Amino acid sequence: MASTSRFTSAAIACLAIAGSADAFTTSIPGKTTTSAAVVKSFRSPTKLFVDGPKDGTTVTSARKEIGYDAKSGRFFETDIDKEDCIPEDEYCVVDDETGEMVRLTLEEKERIFLDALQSYHFNGRQLLNDAEFDLLKEDLSWNGSSMVNMNRKETQYLAAVQDYLKGTPSLSDSEFDQLKTELQEEGSQFASAKEPRCYIDTGICKVTYQPDNFRNNLLYLPVGAILSIVWLGIGFEIIEPLIRINPLILAAVGAPLIYNGSLSITDQFIFPNNKIVYGPCPACQNETRVYFGDILGVEGFADVASVKCKNCKATINVQKNSLRASTLPKDE
């Protein structure tokens, strides 16, 4: 019994010494913190994790807007109409009637970019300021448009036009015409115009036509059909008695002969030098088609075709190589 009381007294004394020495508290210089305070500091969130977006904060992209709700602590998508334009992320135009921003299609943006570029290099007139032009160019780049990537010939062509307007031509007339013809044959949008353009001083309207590959290939269809029937007939009459062959295999074997025969007979005897082009009338934009070449020995248009529009009766001259179509001057 005496030993138990001595042990109890010793335990009380140890606890008293530990309490006075703060043995169960964290030691921070200049500051004494109890264990309860330490536990509380770990359980309570710090300022780093408490601070977040303010209530109602929105993050806007090209197609969506994300808002933040402080009560739920979550982000949510707001309703933005697909027709709404966001000028911070894309190029927009202002509607003259409503005064609101209007979203453009990729084709409309490319047309504005081409007009601005040609107007600046050809006429020295700036349609868009630097900020608008840079935004439009960046928008086209993000949309994967090839309009903003010019090759070496297109850059040389625009530089030559600008040098000519400054009075210091960098290319001779023959070199410039050759470069322009090469770009037109390659289908460059900088040297060819798919939409008609009219000049007030001369009254001449110009446009660039396009080859009609579908109708051009149809010219070879009659000869190809006749040769196919002849080949199958000969095959069944000569080969069939000797060995039985699937008609599809027989047609596949004769396909190279039929193809080359169709090209040779059509190009040399039926439609020599054939080429079909189409495009809008430079004066009234009515769709017009022109055939170059001969038909069964009858001579047709060679290098330049002169046709009349069925709608406005205007005379149109179309060049076979460059596909440039133009009307006659007013006095003619």
Side-chain angles (χ1 to χ4, degrees):
M1 187 70 181
S3 61
T4 303
S5 61
R6 286 197 299 268
F7 177 78
T8 304
S9 301
I12 294 174
C14 290
L15 290 176
I17 296 173
S20 61
D22 291 336
F24 296 99
T25 60
T26 56
S27 178
I28 300 178
K31 186 176 181 180
T32 302
T33 307
T34 63
S35 58
V38 173
V39 174
K40 183 178 179 181
S41 64
F42 279 104
R43 289 181 178 178
S44 60
T46 60
K47 185 178 181 181
L48 176 64
F49 297 99
V50 171
D51 291 343
K54 296 181 179 179
D55 189 17
T57 302
T58 59
V59 179
T60 305
S61 65
R63 294 293 182 268
K64 296 181 179 179
E65 185 180 68
I66 300 177
Y68 178 75
D69 186 9
K71 295 182 179 179
S72 62
R74 296 181 178 180
F75 289 93
F76 62 94
E77 294 182 2
T78 61
D79 294 331
I80 292 184
D81 196 335
K82 295 182 178 180
E83 300 299 328
D84 293 342
C85 190
I86 305 175
E88 290 81 6
D89 295 336
E90 58 183 324
Y91 178 79
C92 310
V93 295
V94 180
D95 190 354
D96 296 334
E97 297 180 357
T98 61
E100 298 179 354
M101 292 289 185
V102 179
R103 173 170 291 167
L104 302 176
T105 62
L106 181 60
E107 291 76 13
E108 293 173 337
K109 294 177 182 178
E110 290 179 342
R111 183 61 188 173
I112 295 176
F113 178 80
L114 182 61
D115 289 343
L117 200 61
Q118 289 181 339
S119 177
Y120 178 77
H121 287 282
F122 295 170
N123 303 326
R125 186 164 57 95
Q126 190 174 3
L127 297 180
L128 303 175
N129 56 43
D130 295 341
E132 292 175 341
F133 183 81
D134 293 340
L135 180 60
L136 177 59
K137 185 176 181 180
E138 183 180 0
D139 189 2
L140 291 175
S141 299
W142 279 105
N143 283 278
S145 174
S146 59
M147 181 72 69
V148 296
N149 300 322
M150 295 186 296
N151 55 33
R152 182 181 60 84
K153 291 183 180 180
E154 292 172 340
T155 304
Q156 184 182 7
Y157 174 75
L158 295 179
V161 172
Q162 194 171 17
D163 293 339
Y164 177 80
L165 295 177
K166 293 180 180 178
T168 57
S170 57
L171 297 176
S172 62
D173 294 342
S174 60
E175 293 175 343
F176 181 81
D177 293 338
Q178 182 180 359
L179 178 61
K180 186 176 182 179
T181 302
E182 291 177 357
L183 290 176
Q184 290 175 350
E185 292 177 353
E186 294 175 359
S188 174
Q189 301 184 15
F190 294 94
S192 60
K194 296 181 180 179
E195 296 181 3
R197 293 185 178 183
C198 298
Y199 299 90
I200 300 178
D201 52 350
T202 60
I204 298 177
C205 298
K206 296 182 178 181
V207 73
T208 302
Y209 278 12
Q210 298 178 7
D212 194 343
N213 296 323
F214 176 74
R215 286 177 172 80
N216 223 109
N217 293 331
L218 289 180
L219 298 178
Y220 302 93
L221 182 60
V223 178
I226 294 174
L227 292 180
S228 299
I229 296 174
V230 172
W231 171 259
L232 292 177
I234 294 175
F236 277 106
E237 290 294 334
I238 298 177
I239 302 177
E240 184 69 17
L242 301 177
I243 183 174
R244 297 183 62 88
I245 300 179
N246 191 313
L248 296 178
I249 298 178
L250 184 61
V253 172
L257 298 176
I258 297 173
Y259 175 77
N260 293 326
S262 301
L263 292 179
S264 179
I265 295 175
T266 302
D267 292 339
Q268 294 182 13
F269 303 102
I270 302 179
F271 302 109
N273 303 320
N274 61 82
K275 188 175 186 178
I276 302 177
V277 299
Y278 73 99
C281 171
C284 66
Q285 299 188 14
N286 183 50
E287 186 171 332
T288 306
R289 283 183 172 82
V290 181
Y291 172 80
F292 291 94
D294 304 336
I295 301 177
L296 293 175
V298 180
E299 294 185 358
F301 298 118
D303 297 330
V304 179
S306 181
V307 296
K308 282 190 175 183
C309 176
K310 297 180 180 180
N311 185 31
C312 64
K313 308 302 179 182
T315 302
I316 308 172
N317 293 330
V318 185
Q319 301 179 9
K320 183 178 181 180
N321 294 331
S322 62
L323 303 183
R324 294 284 291 179
S326 61
T327 59
L328 299 178
K330 293 180 179 179
D331 52 356
E332 298 184 14

